[in-house]
Amino acid sequence: MTNIKYIRTLPRDLRILIAVFVIVLTLGVTIGLIYVGINTDYTSSGTQSFYAGDQVSSDFEIPEQYPKSLEGLLLTTHTHIIAFAIIFLIMGGLLFFTNILHKKWKLFFMIEPLISTLITFGSFFAIRYIHPNFVYLTMVSGILMYISYYIMAWISLKESLNCFAFLGIRMTIK
């Protein structure tokens, strides 16, 4: 294990690529998180409504949100699990080549978001078909997943930020 290179020891051009990639990926992940907020208001009731549909009190009332179809849930889950698995494989790989965290914390952040991905997107079915209170499982696992992502992104950027020195900008985080 002593032959492992760290991101900060890589050639400047490769560190630039890593930094720009992490910035662009973080922008994409953040836009997705904003989309979640638009659809759910980041609330348990908004998330329940989005997946299980709105409760109606009479036959003449039209709900704002209809329950998600099985096909819609399968499509959302399929695309997100695949995409998030790739995202967290890449981010976990980058995290592996850092030395900021203790080995146990590094392993936690490399594995936890993959588990949270399964729980988060799997719990959509539980909200829809079992009980709306599964929303709390969705929210906790989603929060853990996104916190893990942002920690991995920050650490990867911290390791590669001195790559912007070629622009005359010293971007070292203390």
Side-chain angles (χ1 to χ4, degrees), residues 2 6-7 23 28 60-62 66 68-69 82-83 88 94 96 117 131 139 151 158 160:
T2 57
Y6 295 110
I7 291 173
I23 290 167
F60 300 105
E61 191 176 350
I62 299 173
Y66 287 94
K68 295 291 175 236
S69 67
I82 290 172
F88 290 122
L94 290 175
F96 180 82
T117 296
H131 196 278
M139 294 177 81
I151 287 171
K158 184 172 172 42
S160 62

Side-chain angles (χ1 to χ4, degrees), residues 14-124:
L14 189 51
R15 286 182 288 141
I16 292 169
L17 174 65
I18 290 169
V20 172
F21 171 77
V22 170
I23 290 167
V24 171
L25 185 60
T26 300
L27 179 62
V29 167
T30 303
I31 289 169
L33 197 51
I34 292 168
Y35 178 77
V36 168
I38 288 170
N39 285 301
T40 67
D41 293 326
Y42 302 115
T43 65
S44 58
S45 61
T47 304
Q48 287 172 345
S49 175
F50 188 73
Y51 292 102
D54 288 328
Q55 298 294 324
V56 292
S57 55
S58 73
D59 291 338
F60 300 105
E61 191 176 350
I62 299 173
E64 274 190 51
Q65 290 276 354
Y66 287 94
K68 295 291 175 236
S69 67
L70 177 60
E71 180 183 332
L73 285 172
L74 287 171
L75 180 63
T76 298
T77 303
H78 163 78
T79 56
H80 281 81
I81 286 177
I82 290 172
F84 277 54
I86 293 167
I87 288 168
F88 290 122
L89 174 67
I90 293 168
M91 293 304 291
L94 290 175
L95 187 69
F96 180 82
F97 293 102
T98 65
N99 69 345
I100 293 173
L101 292 177
H102 185 274
K103 199 164 116 175
K104 289 180 184 178
W105 279 108
K106 209 189 282 194
L107 181 61
F108 172 81
F109 284 113
M110 291 185 329
I111 301 300
E112 189 287 323
L114 292 165
I115 294 167
S116 284
T117 296
L118 290 176
I119 294 170
T120 300
F121 294 103
S123 63
F124 294 168

